[in-house]
Amino acid sequence: MAVNTKAIPGTDPDKSGAVENWVDSLYIDRHPTFDTSGKVAISDLTTGDWARLAVGINSITPAAADTSQQLSDYASEGHTETIVTGKNVTLAVAGNRYVGNPGQEYVSSMWLKMGNAVKSRCIYVVNGQAIETACTITAIVPTGGTANQAQTFSCTVNFDGKPVIPDGMLTLTESQTEAWTYKAAVSAMPSTPDTTAGRMTDVKIVQFNDQATLHLTQGGSGSDTLTPSTSGK
């Protein structure tokens, strides 16, 4: 199918100032692997089978609960200093159930599981900053609500250990055969990287033949749209 339309000028989201929440994005690896220590491996982004939690999702709320300690010494003359010694980072994901969506199907399949069966890794893109972490999925609600309302869906993504960032430019390319699933590639940073304040890495999100989702690239330094391949995926 040919693409011969484009966004109307002025309808793209802002990259600075009061940006909207939907420029952020969350991806879960549907086939995580474990290293020799028994932890979810996060060193290679390119091996992930990344499913985006977007369809039906109306809120993704991050939180970072601090473990802190208050210190006071003679030099402080009776006053205290607070130091942060730990973090518990979570993402609260909520919306409506969308049966058939790859990301929701994967999370919903964990509903009655425990242990390593609810562990994975995720990529969280915040205003173009990509963060990867091992994670545990908890508080899964795969359905529910009143009889005449759309089913609910929610879960909590708990960061496990210290997160990392891509060592270069991250490109997430959507599958040509399964919508909302992606493969990752990491390449050298562009010669003129995005200089948005706070930028840790550049991100490019490549949608398959879908102009309506080009807003996902606005946090990064560029975007592309694939055209259908005659040879398949």
Side-chain angles (χ1 to χ4, degrees), residues 189-196 199 202 221:
M189 293 292 287
S191 57
T192 55
D194 195 322
T195 57
T196 303
R199 178 83 56 208
D202 275 340
S221 62

Side-chain angles (χ1 to χ4, degrees), residues 143-157:
T143 186
T146 57
N148 64 345
Q149 297 293 320
Q151 295 179 1
T152 58
F153 174 89
S154 63
C155 67
T156 300
V157 178

Side-chain angles (χ1 to χ4, degrees), residues 109-128:
S109 72
M110 298 177 174
W111 178 39
L112 299 177
K113 299 177 181 179
M114 60 186 71
N116 284 347
V118 293
K119 289 187 176 295
S120 184
R121 60 175 172 163
C122 70
I123 298 172
Y124 185 39
V125 180
V126 185
N127 292 322

